[in-house]
Amino acid sequence: MTKTTAAAPLPFLDLAAQYRSIRAEIDEAIAAVISETAFIGGPYLGRFEKEFAAYCGSAEAVGVSNGTDALRLALLACGVGPGDEVLTVPNTFIATAEAVTMVGARVRFIDIDPDTNTMDSKLLEAGCTDRTKAIIPVHLYGKSADLDAIGAFAKRRGLKVIGDAAQAHGAVYKGRPISTLADATCFSFYPGKNLGAYGDAGAVVTDDPAVAKSVRMLRDHGRTTKYEHDMEGFNCRMDGLQAAILSVKLRHLKNWTQRRQTLAALYTQALSGVSDLILPSDFADNRSVFHLYVVHTAKRKELQAHLQSRGIGCGIHYPIPLHLQRAYAYLKLGAGSFPHAERQCAMALSLPLYPEMTEEQVRYVAGEVAVCLSRESSPRAGQ
Ligand SMILES: *Cc1c(COP(=O)(O)O)cnc(C)c1O
């Protein structure tokens, strides 16, 4: 009987387990940066940018301070500014929309396709105005948005496409890496993301040399040389320690992603047939890299309480759609404005998923989900 390990508290995420698995490589990389005092810019940043661009199948990656700044600088580099409107979805982290406001533009939400939980490209036409300048599809939970349809619409209308890939490192859509299907694609290396730094970091990936050049200038005070500035920019640099750590972790990312996909498939197999439960869709030509394994249920509250009582950590991404947050009250969009996004936010529950989890742990979580929902749906529940 070895049930004890699986029944021990299972955190939603275990970054320490990952560190233990690569400790020697990480410690060596950190020591090298410090002994060379390569703290800002420098060889480790340049090396990581080359490696990450190659990983993404794109011409250039520009390392920046975090994923939010990646979005902000990409918008600026694509010429988005005051008076412009940008289309995105309400079921995302606030950073997607904040970046739009930060450049002086206005966010316009459109609803999602309930089958994929990403932007419904059929709603782009109705969401567009004379002021629309760009679209930010969010590759939610690790699965690409419908980039064919979004790209075709953008091309017809002369709009820029800036992907929010903060959750989708390595995602491929119809055989092509997502960053090759947009004007710019923005990544976050927040510690909990699929490729996570040991602090804040992000990147803009693009095939457009003008966009890359502009982001490089904007992130570093508009500099062309140490003492020459062609414009005002920002301090949005990635530091050398983060770059060196990311280079180490990038070597493992393919394996980690495969492991996430294997464990996700195991969840899906173990949970199929459980009542009141919608499992994540996954398509052969648009496979998720499973930043999150998110189930949907009308009994979320009960399920979350049950899992918590068993010591299983879970999360909600995201409980309140952005148009219903106080921060966006000025848009005057009430409940019912985006029914699919609202329903999704009301039902989503993220189960623990990280490469270091064991298959036994996945089966344990799935078993507890099944126990809870079959009890909840039984007519004798509550007796
Ligand atoms: C994490 C995240 C961001 C922001 O990235 P930071 O590095 O935390 O600034 C933006 N969009 C989405 C969808 C995210 O998940």
Side-chain angles (χ1 to χ4, degrees):
M1 297 265 111
T2 53
K3 278 271 179 256
T4 40
T5 40
L10 182 64
F12 179 64
L13 184 63
D14 188 354
L15 293 176
Q18 187 182 73
Y19 173 57
R20 283 195 296 274
S21 74
I22 52 172
R23 182 174 212 149
E25 291 171 85
I26 292 283
D27 289 358
E28 189 189 339
I30 290 173
V33 174
I34 295 173
S35 70
E36 293 167 38
T37 65
F39 297 127
I40 301 288
Y44 293 96
L45 177 61
R47 189 178 80 185
F48 173 67
E49 288 180 336
K50 282 204 175 64
E51 291 167 350
F52 193 63
Y55 178 83
C56 292
S58 279
E60 293 206 55
V62 185
V64 297
S65 34
N66 55 61
T68 311
D69 284 334
L71 287 161
R72 172 163 66 131
L73 300 192
L75 284 161
L76 288 170
C78 286
V80 179
D84 295 332
E85 289 180 353
V86 177
L87 297 173
T88 193
V89 289
N91 63 330
T92 180
F93 183 56
I94 190 170
T96 316
E98 277 176 327
V100 173
T101 312
M102 278 193 259
V103 305
R106 193 174 166 95
V107 66
R108 266 183 84 92
F109 294 117
I110 61 173
D111 209 351
I112 55 167
D113 175 341
D115 292 334
T116 61
N117 297 320
T118 59
M119 178 177 276
D120 186 346
S121 56
K122 296 185 296 300
L123 300 175
L124 285 168
E125 185 70 55
C128 242
T129 72
D130 292 346
R131 292 167 175 251
T132 308
K133 186 80 182 249
I135 306 171
I136 306 183
V138 179
H139 307 302
L140 196 71
Y141 308 150
K143 188 169 66 205
S144 175
D146 186 9
L147 283 177
D148 266 355
I150 293 166
F153 181 85
K155 199 166 174 192
R156 255 194 336 272
R157 293 299 192 92
L159 308 178
K160 300 288 186 184
V161 177
I162 296 160
D164 183 340
Q167 304 184 359
H169 313 73
V172 171
Y173 173 86
K174 298 187 180 172
R176 297 186 59 188
I178 51 174
S179 60
T180 64
L181 298 165
D183 294 284
T185 299
C186 302
F187 292 86
S188 165
F189 306 120
Y190 180 81
K193 301 289 161 87
N194 285 21
L195 179 61
Y198 285 3
D200 277 309
V204 177
V205 174
T206 181
D207 282 321
D208 183 340
V211 169
K213 186 176 172 208
S214 175
V215 174
R216 278 183 204 288
M217 284 179 67
L218 288 166
R219 76 172 169 183
D220 193 20
H221 305 290
R223 273 199 177 104
T224 47
T225 68
K226 184 163 182 173
Y227 296 113
E228 288 171 286
H229 307 267
D230 278 11
M231 58 183 178
E232 287 184 321
F234 306 92
N235 179 348
C236 290
R237 299 178 298 229
M238 183 196 289
D239 71 67
L241 281 168
Q242 303 309 337
I245 289 163
L246 289 168
S247 278
V248 168
K249 292 181 79 172
L250 185 59
R251 299 201 285 264
H252 299 276
L253 186 57
K254 263 208 174 84
N255 283 341
W256 287 338
T257 300
Q258 276 170 13
R259 178 76 182 158
R260 285 175 182 275
Q261 290 169 332
T262 300
L263 295 178
L266 186 59
Y267 262 132
T268 294
Q269 187 188 25
L271 290 170
S272 64
V274 173
S275 54
D276 301 308
L277 192 68
I278 301 167
L279 301 178
S281 58
D282 202 23
F283 307 103
D285 63 354
N286 185 6
R287 286 190 75 193
S288 179
V289 295
F290 282 102
H291 172 55
L292 297 170
Y293 188 89
V294 179
V295 297
H296 291 83
T297 174
K299 295 172 177 156
R300 175 171 72 188
K301 230 173 118 187
E302 294 88 330
L303 181 55
Q304 191 178 21
H306 177 80
L307 294 178
Q308 259 158 12
S309 76
R310 292 292 186 274
I312 297 168
C314 34
I316 299 179
H317 304 89
Y318 295 90
I320 306 171
L322 294 183
H323 66 286
L324 300 181
Q325 294 277 5
R326 260 195 298 278
Y328 294 99
Y330 70 91
L331 292 175
K332 299 194 171 17
L333 296 162
S337 304
F338 306 106
H340 294 308
E342 288 166 27
R343 197 176 134 80
Q344 200 258 323
C345 290
M347 294 175 71
L349 188 70
S350 309
L351 303 181
L353 178 67
Y354 42 94
E356 296 74 23
M357 265 179 91
T358 64
E359 293 174 21
E360 190 191 7
Q361 286 172 323
V362 170
R363 282 194 203 95
Y364 169 61
V365 177
E368 291 299 331
V369 171
V371 162
C372 172
L373 291 180
S374 55
R375 189 182 60 202
E376 285 295 327
S377 59
S378 119
R380 287 184 299 141
Q383 287 189 3

